[in-house]
Amino acid sequence: MKYVLVSGGVMSGIGKGIIASSTGLLLKTLGLKVTSIKIDPYLNIDAGTMAPTEHGEVFVLDDGGEVDLDLGNYERYLNITLTRNNNITTGKMMKIVSEKERKGDYLGRTVQVVPHLTDLIQDTIQNVAQVPVDDTKETPDICIIELGGTVGDIESASHIEAMRQLRRRAGKGNFLHIHVCPIILSHGEQKTKPTQQAIRDVRSAGLKPHLIACRCETKLETTTTDKIAMYCQVEPEQVIAVHDLPLTYQVPALLEGQGLVASLRKVLRLDALDIRQEYQKRGAAIWNQWQEITSSNINPSQSVKIALVGKYTSLHDAYLSVIKSLEHASMACGRKLELLWVDASLLEDDARQNSPTEHYKAWHDVTSANGILVPGGFGTRGTEGMVGAAKHARENKIPYLGICLGMQLAVIEYARNVCGFSQAGSEEVDKSAPERVVIFMPEGDKNNMGGTMRLGLRETHFQLGSEWSKLRTLYGKSMSKRVLTNGRAHSPTSPPLSATTDTEAPIILERHRHRYEVNPDYVERLAAKGLSFVAKDDKGERMEIIELADHPWYVGVQFHPEYLSRVLEPSKPYLGFVAASSGLLPQMMAKVKGSKVLEMVNGSETKVPILNGARDFIL
């Protein structure tokens, strides 16, 4: 096993995750099998209980793991499926060490950070790196390790020591270290002192980076590169410039253009590996496709304006996967994404009195948007503003997509304003609401917060009579491994499907994260007034998708489709939403052909035509 470590200096949040993912993609284009691990130095067991406004989005995996958002980057760039074990935290490691000590596994020895904790970190990395993560089902060749936080932090010390030892354990030619540092601009001058100090810090910790990745707003000047090389005692070709780009998906090409692949080949001795020809061909096809998509010039006049009405808009990383899914769909539609950030609480009546300027600005953004998206969230703040946005979209025939909470609030809005349940509400917002259209799931745990939601990959089944559904059409023509077509062959131990399930419809596999659900007691009455619950869970008890037949695009989903959206395979709900917002839904539905990713796996080298502004290769 070969390892690539990506660490950072000076400060966090400088793009280590994108650089790690881009490096993995470049290795994959060579035909190598790549996996990824993220190390987070915090004491939390996982990211599940962390506030989005503090740490960004909580990303959910197939196995229900609630992990750091960077694992989403790995999956999106590398088209792999990770598990909760791919996210190592200090809290998780210390819990294991403590449990082993209580069991007597250390035979009475004094338990210490070195060697017991550092050995566990290394053993965990080596074991997780062996787990297959892609469609080949084969052991990966290379593991990308991203070390969160900043070298020099007290909380990172045990992980840094573990990485120093892992380099020795892996052996020469099996370990490459990239250290990411910011280049500060002061009065237009690129300052290198922070980078020089960061390299001194990481070397004093026992690590010696092979490459220095310099994050900067503008292109790195030659004099700056030479200065870093001289004072950090490296060659100029070991200094990589990573400046700001219009799309983060262009970073792999930027790194490739500066000889990163050559450096990887040299240090990791990749030419000595026996890479199967079919994998090399697939890697080359993926790279060609990636470059064609990310380098295409999208006409600025051909834009789509989306209002994102949420609770955590003060930190955009709280909706990172949502943003990426919108970008994937926009690229597929040949449109430039213009995202309007709307704080849902500013849409409410209280804001009209207390913050009138912000209130009218927020409503202006909503009313001027081509589409309205209400993403997931928790708690009461801003929920009435989201209900108002859903109402505006429904009444004015503006494309709407509700995710998780966004679906639940769309149901509440419909119950109030169409069905006459004027006091309809959610148990999450008001436990004493007279008409609780949204309730706490019966099997839920009200005492423990961590890992107790309905999490992970689950089946969603379209119901009889849903053939008209636009979303069903998009899913129905997909060749994705996440969509099972022509029904499902049940084993004797499989539970029987609901009698209302359309066994000829596609079965959707999407990831979930929620504690509340639509109250089944209200479903028939809502449906009688035109709100169609077009898809449910395998038992037919839990509502998964709502849709309005007489609307250009009014869709709500209980799951989180953004977790499975990919650059080369956009999420179907997001694709349909953006296409409808762009006026391209009929063309997109007519052109849906199957996943280009699957075609590339099979060795196809079909070119990608652009037809009527929408790309023809997706889905």
Side-chain angles (χ1 to χ4, degrees), residues 13 15-19 21 38 51-53 55-60 67-77 146 247-249 308 310 312-329 331 337 339 341 373 375-376 403 513 560-567 571 574:
K16 296 191 300 293
I18 297 299
I19 292 172
S21 301
K38 173 68 186 296
T53 50
H55 195 69
E57 161 190 86
V58 176
F59 191 79
V60 177
V67 297
D68 185 83
L69 58 82
D70 278 314
L71 273 79
N73 283 326
Y74 308 154
E75 287 199 341
R76 282 187 287 268
Y77 276 68
E146 182 189 347
L247 290 172
T248 56
Y249 307 114
L308 191 155
Y312 317 119
T313 54
S314 59
L315 181 65
H316 294 180
D317 272 359
Y319 298 112
L320 184 62
S321 289
V322 172
I323 298 169
K324 298 305 179 184
S325 298
L326 290 170
E327 289 177 351
H328 301 163
M331 287 190 289
L337 176 64
L339 198 54
W341 293 91
L373 187 149
I403 306 295
R513 186 177 188 248
H560 288 265
E562 62 269 19
Y563 292 143
L564 289 175
S565 186
R566 303 288 184 263
V567 177
S571 158
Y574 283 92

Side-chain angles (χ1 to χ4, degrees), residues 114-133:
V114 180
H116 302 103
L117 182 59
T118 53
D119 282 354
L120 175 63
I121 294 170
Q122 294 175 78
D123 292 343
T124 301
I125 289 173
Q126 289 187 305
N127 291 334
V128 173
Q130 297 289 328
V131 177
V133 294

Side-chain angles (χ1 to χ4, degrees), residues 591-609:
K591 294 173 186 174
V592 167
K593 289 187 175 180
S595 170
K596 184 64 181 179
V597 175
L598 299 184
E599 291 179 23
M600 287 187 289
V601 169
N602 293 329
S604 171
E605 299 180 2
T606 304
K607 295 297 182 180
V608 182

Side-chain angles (χ1 to χ4, degrees), residues 88-100 106 112-128 159 162 165 169:
I88 296 173
T89 71
T90 301
K92 188 184 293 184
M93 295 293 99
M94 293 185 71
K95 182 174 183 288
I96 294 173
V97 170
S98 297
E99 290 173 347
K100 292 178 70 174
Y106 295 114
Q112 298 175 294
V113 172
V114 180
H116 302 103
L117 182 59
T118 53
D119 282 354
L120 175 63
I121 294 170
Q122 294 175 78
D123 292 343
T124 301
I125 289 173
Q126 289 187 305
N127 291 334
V128 173
H159 298 293
Q165 295 181 26
R169 186 187 289 194

Side-chain angles (χ1 to χ4, degrees), residues 358-376:
E358 290 84 354
H359 173 76
Y360 289 112
K361 170 63 167 59
W363 270 112
H364 176 269
D365 287 343
V366 170
T367 56
S368 63
N370 303 122
I372 298 171
L373 187 149
V374 178

Side-chain angles (χ1 to χ4, degrees), residues 148-214:
T150 304
V151 172
D153 291 345
I154 293 175
E155 59 185 4
S156 300
S158 59
H159 298 293
I160 294 169
E161 173 60 20
M163 293 303 98
R164 185 190 70 79
Q165 295 181 26
L166 180 64
R167 176 173 181 165
R168 182 179 180 85
R169 186 187 289 194
K172 189 174 182 179
N174 293 319
F175 193 96
L176 181 142
H177 183 190
I178 302 173
H179 197 57
V180 185
C181 306
I183 298 295
I184 309 300
L185 274 178
S186 178
H187 304 290
E189 181 182 357
Q190 295 178 342
K191 297 292 186 179
T192 65
K193 281 292 192 293
T195 297
Q196 296 175 39
Q197 183 60 48
I199 297 302
R200 282 194 289 269
D201 289 343
V202 73
R203 285 174 176 165
S204 67
L207 290 169
K208 185 178 179 181
H210 297 87
L211 300 170
I212 302 172
C214 298

Side-chain angles (χ1 to χ4, degrees), residues 426-469:
S426 169
E427 186 178 348
E428 180 179 13
V429 177
D430 182 4
K431 290 181 173 55
S432 60
E435 297 169 318
R436 290 181 294 173
V437 175
V438 175
I439 59 173
F440 191 85
M441 291 187 296
E443 70 273 27
D445 186 340
K446 294 187 177 182
N447 298 316
N448 297 300
M449 298 292 287
T452 58
M453 287 187 273
R454 184 172 179 249
L455 295 163
L457 195 73
R458 296 174 184 271
E459 291 183 1
T460 293
H461 295 259
F462 283 101
Q463 302 297 288
L464 292 170
S466 64
E467 293 84 358
W468 57 267
S469 166

